[in-house]
Amino acid sequence: MKKYYQPEIETMPREALQKLQSEKLCKQVKHVYENVAYYRDLMDKAGVKPEDIHGIEDLHLLPFISKYDLREAYPTGFLAVPKERCVRVHSTSGTTGKRVIAYYTQHDIDLWEDCCARAITAAGADKGDTLQICYGYGLFTGGMGLHGGSHKVGCMTLPMSSGNTERQIQFMMDLEASVLCCTPSYAAYIAETLKEMGYTPDKIPLKAGIFGAEPWTREMRESIEKSLGIKAYDIYGLTEMSGPGVAFECEAQSGMHINEDHFIAEIIDPQTGEVLPEGSEGELVFTCLDKEAFPLLRYRTRDICILSSEPCPCGRTHIKMRKPMGRSDDMMIIRGVNVFPSQIEAVLVKRGYSTNYRIELDRVNNSDTFDIYVELTPEQFTDTVREISAMERFLEGAIHTMIGISPKVHLVAPKTIDRSDGKAVRVVDKRKLHD
Ligand code: DLL
């Protein structure tokens, strides 16, 4: 079995990697300055010229790009090549304001698919494997990205897209799919459905899963691995950088290697913009090194994360990012306390509850209400009120210990919380209606 898709790049000594990054960065800054008027203005305002960038040590001189800039320049303001050189667009799933439109030349598609092929190989797949891809196809990057990567590796590709869970299971069984690619919340739903249909893990043909596009906890990973009898690998990416495959997990399952020959990662203080030393928690910022059509420099992702360049037993030399614990814009401020949905999820799963939960926030008499609806599994379900209420009080205590404030927990009957075949919606914040 192949261990790496592009061994010479994935295991390149760090010094050589940084030299490569420096060379690419200088070229890229010139390309952007010459072709993207919006960014040229930002650089001029910051007093930086392409000649000031001699290598990655000068990266910090460049101005940031935020979602605000992408909206201002919508729809073509960041396009850096003539439109006729583009072969595809994708778009973010954002529900507020204008979506981000990302453009690709054939070169950009190739490098993106290489990144996905590295992720697929790292998850133990090779020719002869069958990849079932149930990320959405279309404007969302998940389906098409993994699809392209799967072709590059030479796997048999099942372009299922999301939804129709029974048909997913029929194809999985009949064609003996060996690797499942979808959001972790959809993987959990597929696992639940398989169980209801009477399939035990030893009857499920899968050996691995490549799950991403939303935050998921270590506890959720363990639960999916157990119920499907697989190894579950994390994959990270965002439309603005290309899509899935910006970073991916290897067999060590201890963070995701960032494809540093294509993307430079930095961690900054989200308030001040100051670059933080390795190991600090902060906002992840990415610079595209060799994309042609939509080459963002120092793009602020809003994902909160930690980087580590500790040597990895897998032999890859590229820096690793920890699972993002959430986006700065997913962070809830409840009664003045910062809370991420992932913290709640960790408490629930650790105590044997399902990942089907919904957090509801509201404001009554000027104070925040904080309710968590958690679905019981059929095994946990009981109609003894006293038992349910004791379980609720116990969970409230455990969550209080984790985050410092107390929610009201409501345990609800199995199958009463909506499932998702894409990114899960965990939080309903009704406070916004009153603002
Ligand atoms: O979600 C790309 C993707 C598709 C990644 C399939 C992995 C698999 P967007 O819709 O632009 O792109 O959303 C990007 O999703 O900034 C993170 O907040 C979040 N995200 C993506 N992967 C992970 C992950 C795709 N593994 C946004 N863990 C990012 C946590 C993730 N959050």
Side-chain angles (χ1 to χ4, degrees):
M1 194 177 69
K2 250 170 63 182
K3 193 165 175 198
Y4 312 109
Y5 178 67
Q6 289 167 311
E8 64 299 342
I9 297 170
E10 293 177 64
T11 63
M12 187 180 257
R14 285 205 65 76
E15 225 171 85
L17 185 59
Q18 282 162 351
K19 190 160 166 274
L20 178 72
Q21 288 183 320
S22 285
E23 285 164 14
K24 288 188 178 186
L25 178 68
C26 297
K27 262 173 75 183
Q28 185 71 302
V29 172
K30 203 161 166 283
H31 170 57
V32 174
Y33 191 83
E34 284 169 5
N35 295 295
V36 180
Y38 190 99
Y39 198 73
R40 181 162 60 239
D41 282 350
L42 289 182
M43 280 180 65
D44 287 346
K45 274 195 203 114
V48 197
K49 294 273 177 253
E51 306 79 81
D52 299 326
I53 307 299
H54 304 284
I56 50 174
E57 66 283 3
D58 297 325
L59 184 63
H60 68 279
L61 299 174
L62 293 169
F64 293 117
I65 299 174
S66 68
K67 253 211 164 84
Y68 167 83
D69 298 305
L70 299 186
R71 289 205 185 110
E72 283 292 293
Y74 179 90
T76 50
F78 274 92
L79 182 59
V81 296
K83 239 187 193 163
E84 54 273 24
R85 287 207 50 222
C86 296
V87 296
R88 192 163 339 140
V89 296
H90 281 284
S91 171
T92 51
S93 47
T95 45
T96 49
K98 288 177 192 150
R99 287 161 167 260
V100 173
I101 310 272
Y103 300 83
Y104 304 73
T105 61
Q106 187 55 50
H107 160 92
D108 299 336
I109 297 274
D110 271 340
L111 79 81
W112 173 29
E113 291 180 350
D114 282 345
C115 290
C116 289
R118 289 180 198 173
I120 291 167
T121 308
D126 204 344
K127 289 187 182 65
D129 274 298
T130 299
L131 246 73
Q132 177 159 2
I133 301 177
C134 6
Y135 287 113
Y137 279 62
L139 283 173
F140 179 54
T141 54
M144 303 282 281
L146 269 306
H147 181 99
S150 174
H151 274 234
K152 287 216 167 189
V153 176
C155 301
M156 158 98 116
T157 311
L158 305 184
M160 304 295 297
S161 199
S162 53
N164 202 337
T165 308
E166 303 221 330
R167 188 181 60 192
Q168 301 278 4
I169 289 173
Q170 190 193 339
F171 271 75
M172 179 187 292
M173 292 299 160
D174 294 351
L175 299 183
E176 298 189 340
S178 50
V179 182
L180 180 67
C181 304
C182 59
T183 57
S185 45
Y186 194 42
Y189 181 38
I190 292 179
E192 182 185 20
T193 312
L194 279 162
K195 189 172 172 202
E196 280 166 13
M197 292 168 78
Y199 291 107
T200 46
D202 56 309
K203 297 279 178 306
I204 300 171
L206 298 172
K207 64 174 181 185
I210 304 179
F211 305 134
E214 62 183 5
W216 53 312
T217 53
R218 205 159 24 94
E219 289 78 7
M220 185 165 176
R221 185 213 304 267
E222 280 161 19
S223 146
I224 295 175
E225 288 190 329
K226 207 161 121 213
S227 53
L228 291 175
I230 61 170
K231 222 170 150 175
Y233 296 86
D234 203 351
I235 183 166
Y236 170 90
L238 61 164
T239 315
E240 293 88 332
M241 288 299 110
S242 56
V246 171
F248 63 88
E249 232 173 17
C250 61
E251 76 258 18
Q253 291 180 304
S254 58
M256 295 178 270
H257 291 282
I258 295 172
N259 282 309
E260 284 188 286
D261 53 323
H262 298 308
F263 307 102
I264 302 181
E266 299 170 274
I267 293 286
I268 62 160
D269 177 326
Q271 256 76 49
T272 63
E274 183 201 349
V275 179
L276 300 178
E278 192 188 311
S280 319
E281 183 173 288
E283 181 179 344
L284 194 53
V285 171
F286 279 114
T287 296
C288 295
L289 284 174
D290 39 18
K291 272 173 60 190
E292 294 175 336
F294 195 59
L296 301 186
L297 305 178
R298 302 198 86 200
Y299 179 66
R300 294 186 58 160
T301 63
R302 303 190 196 176
D303 290 322
I304 305 295
C305 194
I306 297 178
L307 298 178
S308 158
S309 61
E310 292 251 312
C312 183
C314 78
R316 288 179 184 79
T317 49
H318 295 211
I319 203 166
K320 289 201 282 197
M321 58 183 271
R322 197 193 58 181
K323 264 179 182 307
M325 64 179 300
R327 296 167 63 88
S328 53
D329 43 3
D330 276 352
M331 191 181 76
M332 306 172 281
I333 304 180
I334 311 170
R335 298 174 203 145
V337 176
N338 298 348
V339 180
F340 285 98
S342 56
Q343 293 174 295
I344 312 266
E345 183 177 304
V347 175
L348 295 180
V349 183
K350 205 176 204 160
R351 283 163 184 78
Y353 290 91
S354 75
T355 49
N356 298 312
Y357 65 94
R358 192 179 64 243
I359 300 167
E360 276 190 24
L361 305 172
D362 205 345
R363 193 163 291 143
V364 176
N365 297 331
N366 289 323
S367 102
D368 290 337
T369 59
F370 176 20
D371 292 87
I372 307 177
Y373 294 83
V374 184
E375 207 180 89
L376 290 164
T377 60
E379 296 79 40
Q380 289 167 327
F381 190 63
T382 155
D383 40 21
T384 315
V385 175
R386 194 163 356 131
E387 266 181 58
I388 294 275
S389 138
M391 286 154 81
E392 288 173 340
R393 298 301 83 75
F394 179 78
L395 268 183
E396 285 166 1
I399 292 169
H400 181 270
T401 308
M402 174 74 150
I403 60 175
I405 51 171
S406 285
K408 178 133 190 49
V409 169
H410 312 262
L411 294 175
V412 297
K415 297 254 160 195
T416 47
I417 291 185
D418 286 347
R419 304 294 190 266
S420 162
D421 61 11
K423 300 191 191 218
V425 180
R426 308 276 195 209
V427 182
V428 180
D429 193 346
K430 297 180 181 160
R431 296 177 301 184
K432 294 186 179 140
L433 298 175
H434 316 308
D435 288 341

